[in-house]
Amino acid sequence: MADIIYTFEGSPYFNITNKCPCRCVFCVRDKKDVVGEAKKMWHDSQPTFADVKAAIDSFDWSGYDRAVFCGYGEPTCAYDNLIKTAKYLKKIKPSIKLRINTNGLSDLINSKPTAKEICENIDIISVSLNNPDSEEYDKITRNIYKGRAFDAMIKFTKECVSYGNEVHMTVVDVISRENIEKSKQLCESLGAKFICRSFARGR
C-alpha cells in the first residue's frame, strides 16, 4: 500500500485517495511519483478508514501541531473517509490544526452540499482558484464538469467563508500576471486570503 501519511516541509500530509475530477496542466502527479518524504503515493486500491486509522495510530505525532489533507488526489473524492479521519484525529489529538487543500468541487463530486460539514471538522480550507473566470479555469484544470465547475468552486468558497473558517484561494504562477491580479481581486471580494504558488518551487 502507498503512504497514507507522509511528511512534506515539516508537516504531516494525508494521502487518502488518488481520484480527482481534474487534470490540471501544472499537476505534480504528472511530474514525479512522490513528494516530500513519501516512498509511494499511488494506491493499489482505495484506502479504507481502517487503513487510515491504522496509519494515524502508528504515526509519531510528537512535535506536530498541524496536518494537511493533500495527497495524489482530491481529498473530497474520499468524502466519508475525509470526515471520519478529521473527527478521529481531532478526538485523539485535539491540538492538531487541520487544513484541506481542495479543488472546491466537493458538492459536484458528492452530489450534495458539503461546505458546512467540512468546515465543522477542518480548520483551514485552501481552495485552488487557478484562474479568474470559468472558461480559463476549464482550460487549465481540464475538469470533467466543464461549464459548471468554476461556479461550484466559487459557491463552495463563499459558504466556507460564511462559516467563519480561515479560507485561502490559490493560483499557480503559470498563468499570466493579468490573471493573477484578477484572481487576487476575486479572492479578496469573497473574503478569502490570496496565495500565489510558485510552480518552480512546487509550493
Side-chain angles (χ1 to χ4, degrees):
M1 179 178 288
D3 294 310
I4 292 174
I5 301 176
Y6 65 99
T7 56
F8 177 62
E9 297 188 339
S11 294
Y13 278 63
F14 282 95
N15 180 39
I16 62 172
T17 183
N18 293 148
K19 296 179 180 180
C20 186
C22 301
R23 294 182 301 110
C24 297
V25 298
F26 52 79
C27 186
V28 68
R29 304 196 314 175
D30 297 329
K31 312 300 179 185
K32 51 188 176 180
D33 289 331
V34 294
V35 294
E37 301 300 319
K39 294 180 176 63
K40 181 181 178 183
M41 298 285 287
W42 294 102
H43 295 293
D44 297 321
S45 59
Q46 186 85 343
T48 65
F49 176 66
D51 295 328
V52 180
K53 182 177 180 296
I56 291 172
D57 292 342
S58 63
F59 186 78
D60 183 2
W61 292 94
S62 303
Y64 294 115
D65 62 357
R66 63 191 59 223
V68 185
F69 289 98
C70 178
Y72 266 17
E74 164 55 39
T76 63
C77 283
Y79 186 78
D80 289 345
N81 281 349
L82 169 68
I83 299 302
K84 288 178 182 178
T85 300
K87 287 181 175 179
Y88 180 68
L89 192 58
K90 284 289 189 180
K91 180 179 179 181
I92 65 167
K93 296 289 180 182
S95 63
I96 296 285
K97 179 171 281 192
L98 294 178
R99 186 180 89 220
I100 183 172
N101 293 352
T102 177
N103 56 30
L105 304 180
S106 181
D107 291 1
L108 291 178
I109 293 167
N110 296 286
S111 301
K112 64 178 181 180
T114 58
K116 185 175 186 294
E117 188 171 36
I118 288 173
C119 288
E120 287 172 346
N121 292 284
I122 298 176
D123 304 289
I124 302 171
I125 318 299
S126 181
V127 180
S128 297
L129 172 56
N130 290 316
N131 249 325
D133 64 67
S134 182
E135 183 177 354
E136 293 299 317
Y137 175 89
D138 284 345
K139 286 179 182 177
I140 199 167
T141 64
R142 299 182 293 190
N143 69 83
I144 65 173
Y145 306 110
K146 188 175 181 179
R148 296 191 293 147
F150 183 81
D151 288 344
M153 176 269 295
I154 295 296
K155 178 177 179 290
F156 175 84
T157 303
K158 285 181 179 179
E159 291 178 355
C160 290
V161 170
S162 75
Y163 292 124
N165 291 58
E166 181 178 342
V167 181
H168 307 164
M169 298 190 88
T170 68
V171 298
V172 180
D173 61 3
V174 297
I175 64 175
S176 68
R177 289 187 178 182
E178 180 183 4
N179 278 359
I180 289 174
E181 181 57 33
K182 287 180 179 179
S183 296
K184 182 175 186 290
Q185 293 172 5
L186 173 59
C187 169
E188 292 175 348
S189 74
L190 299 175
K193 176 184 176 181
F194 180 73
I195 298 173
C196 183
R197 295 164 48 209
S198 167
F199 178 75
R201 293 176 60 198
R203 55 175 299 204

